[in-house]
C-alpha cells in the first residue's frame, strides 16, 4: 500500500492523474492530509506520466464531479482525498453516472459533506464582522472568523464583490485574505488571540443589527442554531440581543429594503458567473449552487422553472413543496394535480407554459405527525411560507428566467406570495383576481388562487375558488390566443 500526502486540491488532481495513468486502484493507495509538510509525491514512487503518456491516457471526468471535488476539498475531514479518489475511480471503471445514484454510500457521504460546506459558507457570509482600523491615514477593515471548514477561498470573492470599495482583511486560523479594491492576496492563518481587538466599528454594527433585527419573528432557539454560540464572541450585537428581544416588533420588509445593500441575493451569483445573454439552461445549472439564503441547507435540491423558451404564458407559484423538493420538478404534488385539472378545463396546455416559483428551495419544519392514510406516524416536513428576506434573495432567479422568455405575454401569479413578489407586499388575491393589471414584471399580470390554498379551503368555498382559478386561467388563454 502506498501512502501519499496531499497538500491541496490542485495537488490531489495531479496525484490522481498519475494514479489513474498507472492504474493504481484506491485499494492500493492511501491519500492523506499533508499537515503542512511538503508534498511527498516523490516518496510514493509513482511514475509521473510523460506528456505523451498523459495524452494517451486522457480520461474525461464529468464536470459535476470536478465541481463537487473542488467543494469537498474544503472539508476538514481527513478522509476526503481517499473518498474522492475512490469515487472518481468508480466513475471511470464502474458507473459513469455514479453521482446520480443518491443511495450509494460514497455519494451519500459526498452529498452530506457538500451540504456542510455550503452551510458553513452561508454562515461565514452572514456572520463575518469587520472592524475599522486606521493606519497611516488610511482606513482598513479587519475581521476574524473561524469557519468549520477551509472555505475562505470559496467565500472571499463574495466579500470582494460586496465590499468592493473597501480595503479589508479576513483572518481565519487556516489562512488570511486581503482585498485592496483590485485583487485578493493570501497570507498565513491567525489564531484568535492574535486577531485585532480594535472595535471602532462595533457601534456601527450594533446599529445595523438593531435595524435588521425583528424581534417579532425571532425564535430564540432558532436564533441560537442560526448563530452558533462559537460565533457570538466576535459579534458585538450579541450584547444587545437580550434588549432587542424585549423590544417592539418592526416592519421587516421595510428594514430589509433599507438594508438591501447588506443582504446577499441570487443576483450576486448570477452576475459573478454568467455573462449576458443569459440562457435558461445556464441559469438552471447555476441555480443548483445557490446559497443566497439558508433554505438550501435543508432542502434536497434547487427546483428551477420548467417550460419552453417560446412560452407565451408564465405561471409563478410560491415555492416547491415536499414532493417537488424530492422530484426536482415544480407542481408534481397535489397542488400540481389541481393546477393540471384547472388548466385542462380552461383550455390551457401547461406543457406550453413556463412554470416556476418565486423561491426555488423547499422551506419546511419537521414535525411529529400521526398516521395519515397510508403514511405511517412519524416525522413530516411541514410547508412554511418563505419570509421577505428569502423572497428577496431568490427573486433574481425569476427575473432572470423572465428575461430569457422573449415571447412571454402574460404572467399568472398563483397565490399571495407570487403576487406580493411582483406587485408589492400586502397585495391581496381577492382584490386583484379576475382581471388584467400591469406590474414591473409584466404589463399583463393576472393573480389567482394558489391551488394548494384551494385544497386547504373549507368545503363551502372550495368549488367556488376552483372555478375562479379556471376562469383566471381562461382569461390568460383568451388574452394570448384570442
Ligand atoms: N406549490 C408551489 O407554489 N409550487 C410548487 O412547485 C408546488 C407547490
Amino acid at each position: 500500500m502506498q501512502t501519499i500526502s496531499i497538500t491541496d486540491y490542485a495537488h490531489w488532481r495531479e496525484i490522481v492523474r498519475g494514479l489513474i495513468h498507472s492504474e493504481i486502484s484506491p485499494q492500493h493507495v492511501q491519500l492523506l492530509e499533508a499537515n503542512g509538510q511538503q508534498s511527498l509525491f516523490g516518496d510514493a514512487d509513482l511514475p509521473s506520466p510523460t506528456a505523451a503518456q498523459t495524452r494517451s491516457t486522457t480520461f474525461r471526468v464529468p464536470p459535476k464531479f470536478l465541481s463537487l471535488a473542488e467543494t469537498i476539498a474544503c472539508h476538514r475531514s481527513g478522509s476526503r482525498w481517499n473518498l474522492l479518489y475512490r469515487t472518481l475511480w468508480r466513475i471511470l471503471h464502474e458507473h459513469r453516472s455514479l453521482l446520480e445514484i443518491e443511495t450509494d454510500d460514497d455519494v451519500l457521504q459526498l452529498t452530506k459533506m457538500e451540504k456542510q460546506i455550503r452551510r458553513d459558507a452561508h454562515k461565514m457570509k452572514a456572520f463575518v464582522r469587520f472592524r475599522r482600523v486606521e493606519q497611516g491615514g488610511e482606513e482598513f477593515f479587519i475581521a476574524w472568523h473561524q469557519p468549520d471548514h477551509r472555505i475562505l477561498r470559496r467565500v472571499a470573492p463574495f466579500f470582494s464583490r460586496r465590499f468592493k470599495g473597501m480595503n479589508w482583511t479576513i483572518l481565519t486560523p487556516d489562512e488570511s485574505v486581503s482585498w485592496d479594491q483590485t485583487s485578493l492576496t493570501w497570507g498565513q492563518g491567525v489564531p484568535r488571540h492574535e486577531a485585532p481587538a480594535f472595535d471602532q466599528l462595533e457601534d456601527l454594527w450594533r446599529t445595523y443589527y438593531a435595524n435588521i433585527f425583528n424581534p417579532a419573528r425571532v425564535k430564540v432557539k432558532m436564533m441560537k442554531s442560526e448563530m452558533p454560540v462559537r460565533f457570538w464572541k466576535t459579534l458585538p450585537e450579541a450584547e444587545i440581543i437580550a434588549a432587542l428581544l424585549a423590544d417592539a416588533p418592526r416592519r421587516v420588509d421595510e428594514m430589509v429594503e433599507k438594508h438591501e445593500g447588506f443582504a446577499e441575493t441570487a443576483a450576486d451569483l448570477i452576475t459573478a458567473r454568467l455573462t449576458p445573454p443569459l440562457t435558461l439552461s445556464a441559469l438552471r445549472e447555476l441555480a443548483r449552487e445557490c446559497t443566497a439564503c439558508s433554505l438550501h441547507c435543508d432542502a434536497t435540491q434547487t427546483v428551477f422553472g420548467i417550460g419552453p423558451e417560446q412560452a407565451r404564458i408564465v405561471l409563478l407559484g410560491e415555492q416547491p413543496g415536499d414532493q417537488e423538493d424530492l422530484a426536482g420538478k415544480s407542481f408534481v404534488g397535489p397542488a400540481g394535480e389541481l393546477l393540471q385539472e384547472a388548466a385542462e378545463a380552461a383550455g390551457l396546455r401547461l406543457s406550453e407554459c413556463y412554470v416556476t416559483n418565486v423561491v426555488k428551495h423547499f422551506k419546511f419544519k419537521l414535525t411529529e405527525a400521526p398516521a395519515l392514510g397510508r403514511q405511517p406516524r412519524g416525522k413530516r416536513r411541514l410547508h412554511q411560507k418563505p419570509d421577505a428576506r428569502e423572497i428577496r434573495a431568490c427573486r433574481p432567479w425569476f427575473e432572470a428566467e423572465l428575461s430569457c422568455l422573449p415571447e412571454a405575454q402574460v404572467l399568472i401569479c398563483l397565490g399571495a406570495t407570487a403576487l406580493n413578489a411582483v406587485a408589492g407586499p400586502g397585495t391581496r388575491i381577492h382584490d386583484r383576481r379576475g382581471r388584467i393589471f400591469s406590474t414591473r414584471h409584466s404589463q399583463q399580470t393576472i393573480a389567482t388562487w394558489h391551488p394548494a390554498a384551494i385544497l386547504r379551503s373549507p368545503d363551502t368555498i372550495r368549488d367556488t375558488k376552483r372555478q375562479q382559478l379556471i376562469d383566471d386561467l381562461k382569461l390568460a388563454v383568451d388574452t394570448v390566443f384570442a
Side-chain angles (χ1 to χ4, degrees), residues 303 317-321 324 329-333 335-336 356-357 414 450 452:
V303 180
E318 179 191 275
Q319 60 162 330
E324 287 80 9
K329 199 172 161 206
S330 49
F331 286 104
V332 293
T356 191
N357 287 300
L414 297 167
H450 193 290

